Amino acid sequence: MKNSKTVLIDTNPGRNCQTFGVARELGTSVDLIHEPSVGVVGNKGDSQCYLGVGAKVNSIHDALRARIGEEEGKMSMRLVQPEFTIATSDGIRNGTKEMRYSLIGREVTNDSLCEHLSASGLEGVIAVVACDKPPVGTLAAVLEHNRPAIIMSDGSIRPGTDSVTGEPIDIITSYQLAGSPDEELKRRIAIESCPGFGSCGGMFTYNTMQTFIGVVGMQPLHMVSPASQDERRLTEFPNQLIDCLENMIAKDIKPRDIVTSQSIRNAIIVAMAVGGSTNVMLHAPEIARAAGYENFSRDVMSAEEFNHLSKNVVPVIVDARPFGRFSMVDIDARGGVQVFVKDLLDAGLLNGDVLTCTGETLAEQIARLDPPAPDGDVIHPVAKPFKPTGGLRVLGGNLSPEFSAVLKLAGVEGGLENNIFAGTARIFDGEQKLLEMLDNNPGHFQDGDMIVVRYEGPVGGPGMPEMLDSTSRITALCRERGIVVGLMTDGRFSGGSVGLVIGHVGQEAAVGGPIGLLEDGDQVIVDLNSNELNCPQLDDATVLQARRTAWQAAVDANGGTHPSVGDASTRLLNRMRCSAVSAVQGAGMHPGGELFVSDPRAPAASGFTPANRHR
């Protein structure tokens, strides 16, 4: 394949000497060093999620090398050595202070890959992605670079097996035992729940976002569901990826040609239909930003439309963990994600005309794959869904003025039978205080309580940690005692969390948001009829002003930040604190934080402004 781009010959020996050396070491022609470059990147980290990435990267790299050359029919391109991004493990770090680095991993991935793509001038890239946040950072970086690129999931871990019951188990099984006094049971399940390697196998954040990336068009759909240890990822998929990339390069198909407002809408609808992770409501705005959309609500989907679709149009069509029985490998055995994408297309819920990385439209890719019909057990048809309404809902109200709060309706196990939950606020300034209470006095919590965990947002954490440890313990407590206890936070949740849990409540406490003004004993009302999260006490203007005054006094006495915000002792944590935008905008790092406040009236109301918030 000859490249249409004009090749500029660099005669500077200082710049050329290492490029010649790399070409020799990689086994490619030194006469191709001035051709447009192509390469492979992968996500790496310290968990099982990443253990299989290196093998896939090497396999794709070897396949690329075999197809690059000066002979007719080969890709006339310069091959670059593989590069890897770094992120932390969500599963290992949940419930610890290190969890604050999890969402930051998305930003670090974006930064490091942006540097690699831009500084190397890559004209084509294949990315192997794993775990939760690095895939989104990877997609954001390739969107910003906007040269031909394609993504492949590293794949899910296969479920473990409980050696006593024979039941399939996974990481969520282990977390839900955290409060058990049976140390032998906890050790046995922990040893048995995560065999092999790969990313979390349920419809948690990883598989929510892999499905999203496939539906948005940047990953071939048939590559989403196979397990990490599936041989196809090493034997069949590498050359298929190169075929697609070669076609994209030849036709100059770029990521922003694929990731459009319409394809993002498709991916959000599918996330609803699979009962996906609440984290999609952080990642979708970040992906939209990288694709060039300034205002997610205006340019992609408003909260009102989101709720209308989730309530009235889009059902849940998979019986998947954590709210159901099955994992992604079961979905793969029933034909893969393409099965439910086809069913949603046939039902008229998706736009099939959007372009994908295969060079086909979404409808054309589905037609070529020709998946089977839903089996009715693991994957349910839209006409006879697993649950009648979509899996996610966003909430406004006086506790969520940014309309950012998100509830995973598919995971609710009780308390919303009449679409309303009225709970009693139990306040915790930071997750560690909640975990201490759950460890030492779980009887403190009563039926109808609404736990409030605050100062864990993008600024307050900093880093907006997720709370799988807390939610898993609360779920186990509620099941054991037959009660309903809710949890709301300005932090976020794992895709494996279930129960009446509401995250991303914004504005966050650290910037003077109303969640920071709640007191023990206040009433918190979750109303899905109006899609609101309210505290009646804060409707009293006198009470509201008195609490704001007290909050501001605590901030002023502490040098400009509330004493309950988390430590920001490292450069990364401080960078997050100083530049984070709100959850409704994706909770990413943006210079100056000028995007932080979506309501221009809010800084004056709270006394907190972008100019003084980092004193």
Side-chain angles (χ1 to χ4, degrees):
M1 181 193 77
K2 292 295 181 181
N3 290 290
S4 59
K5 290 180 69 69
T6 301
V7 177
L8 300 177
I9 304 299
D10 190 335
T11 61
N12 187 308
R15 286 190 289 269
N16 287 345
C17 60
Q18 286 195 344
T19 314
F20 280 128
V22 169
R24 286 194 302 270
E25 292 303 314
L26 295 183
T28 57
S29 171
V30 294
D31 293 327
L32 293 176
I33 69 165
H34 297 303
E35 295 290 338
S37 56
V38 65
V40 190
V41 298
N43 298 152
K44 293 290 280 183
D46 64 341
S47 73
Q48 281 174 294
C49 307
Y50 305 103
L51 287 176
V53 172
K56 279 85 165 183
V57 167
N58 290 337
S59 181
I60 296 168
H61 178 77
D62 289 344
L64 263 176
R65 181 169 51 199
R67 292 177 57 167
I68 282 175
E70 300 170 272
E71 302 91 339
E72 187 66 32
K74 287 201 170 185
M75 299 172 70
S76 179
M77 301 189 78
R78 173 194 169 214
L79 181 65
V80 302
Q81 59 189 312
E83 292 290 348
F84 294 91
T85 65
I86 285 293
T88 192
S89 165
D90 290 3
I92 297 172
R93 297 311 185 291
N94 255 285
T96 74
K97 288 185 177 295
E98 287 75 28
M99 190 63 205
R100 296 178 298 168
Y101 287 96
S102 170
L103 186 60
I104 291 175
R106 184 189 73 183
E107 308 300 294
V108 172
T109 297
N110 189 330
D111 286 353
S112 60
L113 188 52
C114 179
E115 193 273 345
H116 174 59
L117 295 174
S118 299
S120 301
L122 275 159
E123 282 297 314
V125 65
I126 299 171
V128 181
V129 296
C131 203
D132 289 6
K133 314 308 175 297
V136 182
T138 298
L139 178 53
V142 300
L143 282 164
E144 291 168 350
H145 186 59
N146 204 33
R147 298 306 303 156
I150 189 168
I151 290 172
M152 183 184 77
S153 161
D154 174 70
S156 298
I157 192 170
R158 290 173 172 141
T161 302
D162 186 322
S163 60
V164 174
T165 68
E167 293 294 314
I169 56 176
D170 59 19
I171 189 172
I172 304 305
T173 313
S174 290
Y175 264 105
Q176 290 178 353
L177 286 175
S180 170
D182 189 337
E183 295 300 326
E184 184 178 341
L185 173 66
K186 288 193 290 187
R187 176 178 169 81
R188 179 175 65 79
I189 295 298
I191 289 173
E192 295 173 352
S193 62
C194 290
F197 54 80
S199 297
C200 289
M203 195 54 73
F204 314 150
T205 305
Y206 172 73
N207 278 313
T208 299
M209 294 315 302
Q210 289 313 305
T211 304
F212 189 106
I213 292 169
V215 174
V216 86
M218 287 299 293
Q219 174 169 204
L221 286 168
H222 69 288
M223 297 185 186
V224 174
S225 61
S228 179
Q229 292 180 287
D230 191 305
E231 279 300 308
R232 288 174 289 177
R233 295 199 176 279
L234 295 172
T235 58
E236 296 179 22
F237 294 170
N239 274 301
Q240 293 175 11
L241 289 164
I242 297 168
D243 288 341
C244 291
L245 183 64
E246 189 171 4
N247 180 64
M248 293 175 75
I249 293 169
K251 296 181 178 178
D252 198 27
I253 297 173
K254 300 179 290 296
R256 288 192 179 192
D257 299 325
I258 295 169
V259 182
T260 65
S261 61
Q262 288 301 307
S263 67
I264 297 171
R265 285 173 58 85
N266 279 348
I268 291 170
I269 288 169
V270 174
M272 294 179 192
V274 298
S277 168
T278 53
N279 282 307
V280 74
M281 299 309 294
L282 293 176
H283 297 327
E286 172 62 11
I287 290 166
R289 176 206 62 78
Y293 296 102
E294 295 180 359
N295 186 307
F296 185 82
S297 179
R298 180 194 66 211
D299 299 332
V300 180
M301 184 180 289
S302 68
E304 292 77 13
E305 184 181 11
F306 182 96
N307 283 335
H308 167 72
L309 290 170
S310 186
K311 182 178 180 180
N312 303 304
V313 180
V314 182
V316 175
I317 43 79
V318 293
D319 180 359
R321 297 276 288 157
F323 54 84
R325 296 174 293 164
F326 299 106
S327 68
M328 187 57 94
V329 297
D330 298 305
I331 290 174
D332 186 59
R334 283 8 179 241
V337 301
Q338 56 268 38
V339 172
F340 56 73
V341 174
K342 181 181 187 300
D343 196 53
L344 290 164
L345 267 172
D346 291 344
L349 298 180
L350 303 178
N351 181 344
D353 295 330
V354 294
L355 183 65
T356 73
C357 60
T358 66
E360 306 157 304
T361 65
L362 180 63
E364 289 168 342
Q365 186 184 166
I366 287 292
R368 174 177 54 80
L369 292 172
D370 191 25
D375 66 293
D377 185 27
V378 178
I379 304 173
H380 293 246
V382 172
K384 295 182 179 180
F386 180 61
K387 294 191 176 188
T389 60
L392 298 167
R393 197 73 64 87
V394 293
L395 308 175
N398 68 8
L399 288 174
S400 181
E402 293 187 324
F403 229 102
S404 61
V406 58
L407 166 69
K408 186 173 181 175
L409 192 55
V412 173
E413 297 185 348
L416 283 171
E417 288 75 16
N418 298 312
N419 285 329
I420 294 175
F421 174 82
T424 303
R426 301 292 179 224
I427 308 298
F428 295 88
D429 286 355
E431 186 192 17
Q432 292 302 314
K433 292 182 179 179
L434 170 60
L435 288 171
E436 289 169 11
M437 182 67 76
L438 287 166
D439 269 338
N440 300 322
N441 186 20
H444 172 80
F445 301 104
Q446 302 300 317
D447 188 33
D449 281 351
M450 174 61 83
I451 297 169
V452 178
V453 180
R454 59 196 186 187
Y455 297 100
E456 295 286 18
V459 170
M464 204 179 187
E466 67 184 32
M467 302 182 187
L468 180 59
D469 194 357
S470 296
T471 60
S472 298
R473 291 170 188 249
I474 293 165
T475 295
L477 183 150
C478 289
R479 290 173 180 173
E480 179 184 334
R481 293 172 53 190
I483 62 176
V484 175
V485 175
L487 188 157
M488 58 176 279
T489 179
D490 51 11
R492 61 189 181 86
F493 299 119
S494 162
S497 294
V498 292
L500 182 55
V501 294
I502 301 168
H504 312 183
V505 177
Q507 291 179 310
E508 62 174 289
V511 302
I515 189 174
L517 307 181
L518 286 171
E519 295 183 356
D520 264 314
D522 282 349
Q523 190 176 40
V524 175
I525 299 175
V526 183
D527 188 341
L528 296 191
N529 298 307
S530 61
N531 293 315
E532 290 190 345
L533 181 65
N534 287 304
C535 172
Q537 283 80 7
L538 297 186
D539 285 332
D540 185 317
T542 302
V543 170
L544 180 63
Q545 187 55 50
R547 293 188 185 183
R548 277 184 173 157
T549 299
W551 182 89
Q552 190 62 51
V555 169
D556 293 342
N558 195 52
T561 59
H562 195 278
S564 294
V565 301
D567 171 61
S569 58
T570 69
R571 179 178 175 180
L572 265 180
L573 292 175
N574 187 60
R575 180 183 165 203
M576 188 69 172
R577 170 152 296 158
C578 293
S579 62
V581 297
S582 65
V584 77
Q585 295 162 324
M589 296 178 179
H590 294 268
E594 67 274 6
L595 297 175
F596 187 84
V597 179
S598 63
D599 182 351
R601 297 167 296 178
S606 68
F608 205 96
T609 69
N612 73 11
R613 67 191 179 113
H614 311 306
R615 291 182 302 186

